[in-house]
């Protein structure tokens, strides 16, 4: 392949088209005309020797060669980011971009930790992505960010996992529920309706795993992708919710809820910072990781919502 013919500009255009799934939208985003975008993609495909996109009806799909090129451009991007941050570090500057993707439930504490980091390094810009566990794992697989925060790291990927904080999942019921104030087992609650997170969520997986191991099938009345909505619905008496303590904040009393003392609960899962083993971490990501690892050296973390979780 005549590699010298490939330009950074063509690769940027290619990544934008792949990301937006449209030549027209990529042209808008890049402030180019659509024919200019098409020409660059055609030239790139000619050099590669295979088509990069398939037109499937109205939507544009990457071909196998396109997928391989997208993975490669992400790696090139990593190398280049790392080069830029090395140069900044040589100039005595901590600057650049830190890209972190978190599972929904981590949004209650991680932004604050990032905030403290940002105050120390005002020239570092942060890009945050928040989604449920399945979506975050997909981003990790595609190498879309630097660091990932989740409770359940995938088992089929070559990754490095740094546990840094405890995650506790609790069962919530209205204050006047018969189980409030008693010690019960999950089997005692088998006839109750449950309000749980959607499948694909790490919180959901924790409760499903526990129930399966206990040989109990829970009656799931409603599955929802929002911790806040689950809290509110549990407050109406529609069912029992199982949520991370981090999601509770000061809402327990407001919603008229209590934590039920269920055998085996709270379920404990560590929160982990995760990255691909072969990821070239830019200096900001290295600095953040280092800071989180230092602060997790066994002391309680004052920033958590309930003040009870301890850093590992
Ligand atoms: P969730 O993730 O917000 O998708 O439930 C929490 C977790 O990974 O434990």
């Amino acid at each position: 392949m005549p590699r010298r013919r490939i330009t950074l500009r063509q690769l940027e255009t290619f990544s934008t088209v792949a990301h937006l799934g449209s030549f027209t939208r990529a042209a808008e985003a890049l402030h180019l005309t659509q024919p200019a975008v098409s020409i660059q993609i055609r030239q790139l495909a000619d050099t590669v020797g295979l088509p990069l996109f398939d037109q499937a009806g109205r939507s544009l799909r990457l071909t196998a060669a396109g997928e391989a090129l997208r993975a490669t451009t992400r790696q090139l991007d990593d190398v280049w980011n790392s080069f830029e941050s090395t140069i900044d570090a040589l100039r005595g500057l901590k600057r650049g971009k830190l890209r972190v993707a978190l599972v929904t439930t981590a949004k209650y504490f991680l932004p604050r930790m990032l905030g403290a980091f940002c105050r120390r390094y005002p020239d570092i810009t942060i890009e945050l992505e928040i989604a449920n566990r399945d979506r975050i794992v997909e981003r990790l697989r595609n190498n879309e960010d630097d660091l990932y925060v989740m409770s359940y790291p995938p088992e089929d990927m070559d990754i490095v996992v740094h546990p840094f904080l405890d995650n506790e999942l609790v069962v919530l019921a209205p204050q006047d529920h018969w189980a409030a104030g008693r010690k019960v087992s999950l089997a005692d609650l088998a006839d109750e309706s449950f309000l749980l997170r959607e499948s694909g969520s790490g919180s959901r997986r924790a409760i499903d795993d526990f129930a399966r191991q206990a040989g109990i099938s829970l009656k799931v009345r409603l599955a929802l992708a929002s911790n806040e909505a689950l809290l509110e619905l549990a407050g109406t008496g529609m069912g029992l919710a199982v949520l991370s303590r981090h999601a509770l904040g000061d809402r327990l009393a407001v919603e008229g809820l209590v934590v039920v003392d269920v055998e085996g609960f709270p379920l404990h899962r560590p929160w982990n910072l995760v990255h691909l083993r072969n990821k070239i971490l830019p200096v900001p990501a290295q600095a953040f990781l280092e800071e989180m690892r230092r602060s997790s050296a066994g002391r309680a973390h004052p920033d958590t919502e309930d003040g009870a979780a301890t850093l590992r």
Side-chain angles (χ1 to χ4, degrees):
M1 188 187 307
R3 209 190 287 184
R4 269 183 308 152
R5 277 203 225 140
I6 296 178
T7 64
L8 287 177
R9 159 76 51 110
Q10 286 174 346
L11 293 178
E12 186 194 6
T13 302
F14 165 77
S15 300
T16 312
V17 175
H19 178 63
L20 298 174
S22 144
F23 283 82
T24 315
R25 276 190 280 150
E28 274 164 26
L30 295 166
H31 305 293
L32 294 172
T33 61
Q34 207 214 338
V37 169
S38 304
I39 289 168
Q40 286 190 45
I41 299 297
R42 192 164 352 105
Q43 287 168 341
L44 192 54
D46 284 349
T47 314
V48 170
L50 285 171
L52 302 170
F53 293 100
D54 257 349
Q55 190 75 45
R58 294 188 59 190
S59 65
L60 203 57
R61 266 200 327 238
L62 284 167
T63 60
E67 289 286 2
L69 184 61
R70 177 150 75 162
T72 306
T73 53
R74 286 193 174 128
Q75 282 167 352
L76 287 173
D77 204 36
D78 280 353
V79 172
W80 196 260
N81 284 342
S82 164
F83 167 68
E84 282 181 349
S85 56
T86 304
I87 293 297
D88 286 335
L90 287 173
R91 292 161 68 200
L93 303 170
K94 273 254 167 39
R95 63 191 318 156
K97 208 186 277 171
L98 169 60
R99 296 172 300 183
V100 188
L102 10 148
V103 291
T104 324
T105 307
K107 73 178 180 201
Y108 304 104
F109 59 90
L110 204 90
R112 256 191 276 177
M113 293 173 169
L114 276 168
F117 179 75
C118 281
R119 280 194 292 281
R120 253 188 312 291
Y121 302 111
D123 292 326
I124 291 180
T125 51
I126 311 272
E127 268 179 27
L128 262 194
E129 189 69 35
I130 301 177
N132 81 11
R133 190 251 175 205
D134 275 7
R135 178 73 195 104
I136 295 298
V137 168
E138 195 183 316
R139 293 185 68 89
L140 171 64
R141 198 178 296 282
N142 293 334
N143 184 22
E144 291 181 54
D145 316 271
D146 300 323
L147 297 170
Y148 302 81
V149 179
M150 66 186 88
S151 279
Y152 284 94
E155 279 142 24
D156 61 340
M157 270 189 245
D158 195 11
I159 52 177
V160 184
V161 176
H162 305 276
F164 69 98
L165 186 67
D166 193 23
N167 183 19
E168 289 188 355
L169 287 119
V170 292
V171 180
L172 303 170
Q175 284 159 358
D176 57 1
H177 190 271
W178 65 263
R182 293 207 200 161
K183 183 153 185 74
V184 295
S185 69
L186 198 58
D188 297 333
L189 302 176
D191 287 335
E192 298 290 322
S193 296
F194 277 82
L195 314 172
L196 299 179
R197 285 285 306 275
E198 77 287 8
S199 49
S201 127
S203 312
R204 176 63 182 268
R205 181 165 166 175
I207 172 72
D208 280 353
D209 284 355
F210 183 83
R212 194 175 322 108
Q213 276 162 25
I216 294 160
S217 92
L218 295 178
K219 291 205 306 207
V220 183
R221 183 156 186 206
L222 189 92
L224 258 186
S226 157
N227 291 328
E228 290 79 7
L230 286 175
L231 266 173
E232 242 172 74
L233 288 170
T236 68
M238 190 174 167
L240 306 183
V242 182
L243 289 174
S244 164
R245 267 195 207 278
H246 292 293
L248 308 184
D250 55 5
R251 298 277 305 281
L252 269 196
V254 179
E255 304 296 349
L257 292 168
V258 288
V259 173
V260 183
D261 187 0
V262 182
E263 235 168 77
F265 282 77
L267 303 179
H268 287 271
R269 296 286 314 170
W271 286 114
N272 303 295
L273 268 168
V274 176
H275 62 84
L276 293 170
R277 189 179 302 281
N278 63 4
K279 175 82 181 174
I280 302 166
L281 286 177
V283 172
Q286 285 173 25
F288 184 62
L289 189 58
E290 192 40 47
E291 186 158 310
M292 297 301 281
R293 291 179 65 188
R294 261 205 314 272
S295 68
S296 69
R299 60 190 164 74
H301 197 276
D303 279 345
T304 52
E305 294 283 343
D306 54 4
T310 50
L311 287 167
R312 301 195 157 193

